[in-house]
Amino acid sequence: MELARATNRGVRLRNRSALLSKLFLDGPLTRQDLVRSTGLSQPAVSNVVGDLIDEGLVVEAGAAESDGGRPSMMLRVAPRFAFVVGVDVGETRVRVELFDFAMTQLATVAYPLDPRRTEPAVVAGHVLSGIDVVTARAGVAPTQVLGVGIGVSGVVEQGREAVVHAQSLGWDRVPLERLIAAGTDLPLHIDNGAKTLGQAEMWFGAGRGARHAVFALVGSGIGAAVVTNGATYRGASSSAGEWGHTTLVYGGRPCRCGVRGCLEAYVGAEAVIDRYREARGEPVPGEDEESQLSALVDAAGTSATARRVLDETAAYLGAGVANLINLFNPERVVLGGWAAMALGGLLPAVREAAGRQALRQPYEQASIELGVLGVDAVALGAATLPIERLLAAGGIRPANRRITEQIELHG
């Protein structure tokens, strides 16, 4: 009898998860759409949808167009069921954004960082301040926030508390989750920024519909997320995707990680700006990397040096993309991150260079595209981390881990 009850609960939870996930990613949909797309029976869909509506997760969104019969009601997730915070810890700024359950951005704030000295305690302080700012601006109480997702440079070692290894930032086993948790009771979810960008583009952007894809984050540094058969490949210790530290030129330019010849030392925004300075003998005008890279792109129409540096950058980036194509045989390679957006005009040259360097057959099967979510992709993807947990749980909110630990400790 107990086994039967457990089995029934498990089936119902899987059905809730499947239907809620479908509505979240593809809604609005009708009940008939859900029957066709999930393979569940009409009674099962009706029962579960009724529960989701009663619990406030799903709302009706008007009647679908009818061809003469009785119109069906459209369903969608309830935007104000929960709110999530997404954080992009970049190398030049910390961006904090608030979204509702339909992933509509409600508020955002950004804090500049000194790329020469990125202190973990400063980053944690910006994250905590940002949470307070965006929730206050949107009039959202902390109790309404499902969780905080954080995308960060470097390798994120998952465990009881997430620890960050980022050689380029000088971070070695930084207990970032502990630093942030000291100032908030909200559930925290931390992952590599390239991986959160990849999840955002897979769910909402240029990766939709692909089962095998690589998402390259091009900013001050370089990273990638490899998606195979719909799941992000992480490797033995979650460090898979450190594409920026693959060797492009043996013994070449010094990289911030401490070795020479890394792809990042040629294609990262900091490296592109530095290569221009070396070639021209003078710095690029601008107060920060973003304004300097923009100035370099603008100068390409009149400066032969700027044009040559950008042409070389396209060739280097194309070679790096060719390596991804040869290694992973993706359907799609998506270039994202703020620097990729700034260098978007190089895309035809990047494709051409990748075609020269990659094996012909896998290259012909792959498309190379720019991300469509812009500079918010890392934070948006980070905000999906608590959402992903909620969808897997069928819409049942997880207990606050810190409160649960206190209960267990004190009885």
Side-chain angles (χ1 to χ4, degrees), residues 254-292:
C255 180
R256 298 178 305 166
C257 71
V259 301
R260 287 183 171 271
C262 294
L263 178 67
E264 184 173 298
Y266 293 87
V267 175
E270 180 180 309
V272 175
I273 294 166
D274 196 46
R275 287 195 293 110
Y276 174 86
R277 180 190 57 76
E278 291 173 356
R280 182 80 175 184
E282 60 184 39
V284 182
E287 296 181 355
D288 54 31
E289 283 185 5
E290 294 181 31
S291 60
Q292 288 175 325

Side-chain angles (χ1 to χ4, degrees), residues 55-82:
E55 294 167 25
L57 283 97
V58 171
V59 293
E60 293 183 338
E65 292 185 8
S66 172
D67 56 3
R70 181 180 177 182
S72 299
M73 191 60 65
M74 302 294 291
L75 303 167
R76 61 172 298 185
V77 295
R80 297 193 67 83
F81 172 75

